Amino acid sequence: MDIKRLMSGLLGFPFVLAIFLIGNKYIVDIALTIIAILSMSEYFNAISKVSKPVKWLGYLSCLSISFIHVIPQENLNMVVTLSVPTILIILFAQVIATQMKTNFKDIAYTFLGIFYVVFFIMFIAFINGMKNGNILIWYALFAAWGTDIFAYFTGKYLGKHKFSKVSPKKTIEGCIGGTLGAVIMMVIYTYFANHYWGMDLSYISITIIGVILSLVGQIGDFSASSIKRYVDIKDYSNLIPGHGGMLDRIDSLIFLSPIAYALFTIL
């Protein structure tokens, strides 16, 4: 399992590197749309055990990520804001149109999924589209995946105290080690950003941001685990050997992305 996990990570990293370093914001938006569709499919497959989600609206919502940087900036906030009540109106219209064959539970799970997958992934696109976004986006990636990597190895070799029944294998030592490892990665990255890429970022600010993002990302990891335990599955899929599904791989990243966007905006 460890070999599969390592190989998948090594093979996947160049792809991520190419997308965010070489691809422009439109290419990144399309890549994120594909990721959202895969993630939405995994989410729907999971909750189909306990409900009948409105799949067509979920997949249609995923496509909206492709248009984030096509819509004029002055109209984008209004479009995103109005999309929330619009989605809810459409879902209740589905309940009415189907004579309640689609019920409240179905649309509640669907609404949650659209927020959980589409809106959270959307903030990755927002970060990438910021000034110096191609540099800032890596802080979010290091916060999420750095935490995962260091938490895994710290927990495996030093973990003794279980953290939560939501994810029985995770330990307090792993959670602490994950945060420390992610922050160290982000501080080292800041050195290169400041000295080679023209940034002027405070190491103290990045350390604080790193701690916040790592902790939020771990809440995202536990949140994904709570959904899987609720529907009694181990992984969302077997798409990525050693990691599970797409949602298993990005659960931390999508959770911390809105907070990262807010912090980068302030920074």
Side-chain angles (χ1 to χ4, degrees), residues 85 114 135 251 254:
I114 291 173
I135 295 174
D251 51 10
I254 61 176

Side-chain angles (χ1 to χ4, degrees), residues 71-110:
I71 300 170
Q73 187 64 39
E74 60 270 19
N75 297 329
L76 185 59
N77 287 340
M78 181 182 67
V79 171
V80 173
T81 301
L82 286 177
S83 66
V84 178
T86 300
I87 290 169
L88 195 55
I89 290 168
I90 293 172
L91 287 170
F92 274 109
Q94 171 100 357
V95 174
I96 298 168
T98 60
Q99 301 293 328
M100 293 191 68
K101 289 181 181 179
T102 298
N103 60 36
F104 177 74
K105 183 174 73 170
D106 299 331
I107 67 171
Y109 281 122
T110 304

Side-chain angles (χ1 to χ4, degrees), residues 91-140:
L91 287 170
F92 274 109
Q94 171 100 357
V95 174
I96 298 168
T98 60
Q99 301 293 328
M100 293 191 68
K101 289 181 181 179
T102 298
N103 60 36
F104 177 74
K105 183 174 73 170
D106 299 331
I107 67 171
Y109 281 122
T110 304
F111 193 62
L112 174 63
I114 291 173
F115 261 86
Y116 179 51
V117 175
V118 179
F119 279 85
F120 279 22
I121 290 178
M122 197 174 286
F123 276 95
I124 302 176
F126 287 155
I127 295 171
N128 188 68
M130 298 174 73
K131 181 181 178 181
N132 298 314
N134 61 329
I135 295 174
L136 294 175
I137 190 65
W138 288 94
Y139 283 108

Side-chain angles (χ1 to χ4, degrees), residues 215-232:
L215 293 177
V216 172
Q218 291 188 59
I219 294 173
D221 196 355
F222 279 105
S223 300
S225 296
S226 70
I227 296 172
K228 290 186 287 187
R229 288 182 69 81
Y230 179 65
V231 297
D232 194 26

Side-chain angles (χ1 to χ4, degrees), residues 157-171:
Y157 294 107
L158 300 177
K160 294 181 180 179
H161 302 88
K162 300 299 182 182
F163 191 89
S164 171
K165 292 181 180 179
V166 172
S167 189
K169 292 184 178 180
K170 290 183 172 59
T171 63

